[in-house]
Amino acid sequence: MTFDLKTAIKYIILFLIGVGVLYLAFRGQDLGKIWQEIKTANYFWVTVSALAVLVAHVLRALRWQMLYKSIHYKVSFWNAYHAVMIGYLANLALPRFGELGRCSVIHRAEKVPMFASIGTVITERLFDVLMLLLTSLAMVTLQYDIVSDFLYDTIYLNLVKKLNSLNYWWLVGLGMIILLLALIIVYFLRKKFSKKFLRIFVSLRQGFGSYGKLKQKGLFLTYTLGIWIFYSLSMYFAFSSIQATSGLHFNAAFTAIVFSGFAMAAPVQGGIGVFHWVVAQSLVLYGISFNDGLAYSTIIHSSQVLLILLLGGISLSCILFKKTG
């Protein structure tokens, strides 16, 4: 990835958007009360919550390792784990850069073709998106009476308002131009770098076909389900860290993880701002004040960022030491 001034400005703008959303979320709230709740939080439960996230990361590394094995690349668990943690670390600085970062780690540590790795990562992400959609459907089905008003008033009506203000002909024209440019670029790339382009295509196709070649698809799906269960448990355990949320049940954690899943898809470093607002808003549905929800979301987001900084830093050191050793 070429990191030039234009790229730097792009990510600075995305970071400022995240900070702006964070400001809007906390604006008008009792900051003194929020800080008091954070200071007096039960950090035993914050630690347990962080450990649940760590288990999810381990399961993600095991799942990714399975995809490599299915296409006949022997990737060690520790290299897969270090790559995952370094990827999360990179995402704190540059959104979505972590996916390329962890593929680069595997390329250097295990000599796996870069585009084969990218294909496996895209395959992984498709299953994550599928799980997010399935859990969203389950949330709406099982808790319709709780989430329906929010989804209609806050999401649906605002979405309809935005769509009605769009000029569809302008969007169609822009889409056609983008498609035409993409076809032209592909044509010239194939013409100028035909052999290299073919190798890239073969590597990507190999990565995309990794799930289809799995011999233990049930185990892969179990890992996928386990990742989401432990993410939800991390939310649930953190409820006990402050008095305001200590009485919430697992269904609230389930809703919070679904909401946060969409928040973390936003192209903002570490989901800053968007995560805080969305998680706090999800807890309002269960009778928690937005002020208390912000305290909770700040605690859990900060604990996860600290975990990534610590473990990601260790993983980065391990990979660099191995490379130079």
Side-chain angles (χ1 to χ4, degrees), residues 8 10 143 162 182 186 198 225 232 240 242 295 308 311 314 323:
K10 170 187 172 183
Q143 303 187 74
K162 293 291 184 183
V186 169
L198 182 61
L225 181 62
S232 299
S240 298
I242 60 175
I308 290 170
L311 298 182
I314 292 172
K323 182 182 177 183

Side-chain angles (χ1 to χ4, degrees), residues 218-254:
L219 181 59
F220 180 90
L221 296 175
T222 300
Y223 284 151
T224 301
L225 181 62
I227 291 168
W228 283 83
I229 289 174
F230 277 97
Y231 279 150
S232 299
L233 285 173
S234 75
M235 288 281 190
Y236 177 67
F237 291 144
F239 285 157
S240 298
S241 64
I242 60 175
Q243 184 64 35
T245 57
S246 60
L248 291 175
H249 298 293
F250 188 78
N251 59 338
F254 183 72

Side-chain angles (χ1 to χ4, degrees), residues 22 25-26 29-30 33-35 37-38 235 238-239 241-246 248 256 273-302:
L22 191 66
F26 280 87
Q29 304 301 318
D30 188 343
K33 183 181 177 183
I34 292 175
W35 177 239
E37 289 194 18
I38 293 172
M235 288 281 190
F239 285 157
S241 64
I242 60 175
Q243 184 64 35
T245 57
S246 60
L248 291 175
V274 183
F275 178 92
H276 296 74
W277 185 88
V278 166
V279 171
Q281 191 66 59
S282 72
L283 298 186
V284 170
L285 303 177
Y286 297 89
I288 304 299
S289 72
F290 191 74
N291 199 79
D292 290 330
L294 282 176
Y296 168 83
S297 62
T298 300
I299 289 170
I300 194 166
H301 186 268
S302 299

Side-chain angles (χ1 to χ4, degrees), residues 35-274:
W35 177 239
Q36 185 62 30
E37 289 194 18
I38 293 172
K39 284 199 303 182
T40 58
N42 186 333
Y43 283 94
F44 168 79
W45 288 109
V46 176
T47 302
V48 173
S49 171
L51 289 175
V53 173
L54 174 57
V55 174
H57 294 337
V58 169
L59 292 176
R60 186 175 293 281
L62 288 168
R63 185 182 68 168
W64 194 27
Q65 186 187 25
M66 287 185 69
L67 292 179
Y68 279 120
K69 186 178 179 181
S70 73
I71 54 175
H72 310 295
Y73 288 112
K74 190 176 181 181
V75 173
S76 72
F77 163 75
W78 283 112
N79 279 334
Y81 165 78
H82 290 322
V84 166
M85 297 312 302
I86 291 170
Y88 282 125
L89 187 64
N91 276 336
L92 293 180
L94 304 173
R96 303 282 75 87
F97 184 69
E99 314 305 342
L100 290 176
R102 63 173 168 140
C103 292
S104 179
V105 170
I106 296 298
H107 175 65
R108 294 184 181 187
E110 301 279 9
K111 308 305 178 187
V112 177
M114 189 72 175
F115 284 93
S117 285
I118 291 173
T120 62
V121 168
I122 294 174
T123 300
E124 258 202 314
R125 287 308 184 193
L126 287 174
F127 277 92
D128 288 336
V129 170
L130 178 61
M131 280 299 299
L132 179 58
L133 294 176
L134 289 175
T135 51
S136 301
L137 180 61
M139 178 193 71
V140 173
T141 303
L142 300 175
Q143 303 187 74
Y144 181 78
D145 55 330
I146 295 176
V147 302
S148 58
D149 289 341
F150 172 79
L151 293 176
Y152 181 78
D153 295 334
T154 307
I155 305 298
Y156 176 74
L157 290 181
N158 283 327
L159 184 61
V160 169
K161 184 178 178 181
K162 293 291 184 183
L163 289 175
N164 287 336
S165 64
L166 291 176
N167 186 325
Y168 290 101
W169 287 112
W170 182 83
L171 284 177
V172 170
L174 180 62
M176 291 179 66
I177 292 172
I178 292 174
L179 179 60
L180 181 61
L181 287 174
L183 291 173
I184 292 172
I185 291 171
V186 169
Y187 172 78
F188 280 108
L189 282 175
R190 288 188 64 181
K191 190 174 181 179
K192 189 172 182 179
F193 307 104
S194 56
K195 291 183 179 179
K196 188 174 181 180
F197 189 87
L198 182 61
R199 288 198 298 269
I200 291 172
F201 175 76
V202 170
S203 295
L204 277 174
R205 188 175 65 177
Q206 185 181 30
F208 289 143
S210 56
Y211 176 75
K213 296 177 181 177
L214 278 174
K215 294 180 179 179
Q216 296 176 295
K217 290 185 174 66
L219 181 59
F220 180 90
L221 296 175
T222 300
Y223 284 151
T224 301
L225 181 62
I227 291 168
W228 283 83
I229 289 174
F230 277 97
Y231 279 150
S232 299
L233 285 173
S234 75
M235 288 281 190
Y236 177 67
F237 291 144
F239 285 157
S240 298
S241 64
I242 60 175
Q243 184 64 35
T245 57
S246 60
L248 291 175
H249 298 293
F250 188 78
N251 59 338
F254 183 72
T255 300
I257 199 64
V258 172
F259 277 50
S260 68
F262 287 102
M264 295 306 289
V268 176
Q269 290 89 328
I272 184 172
V274 183

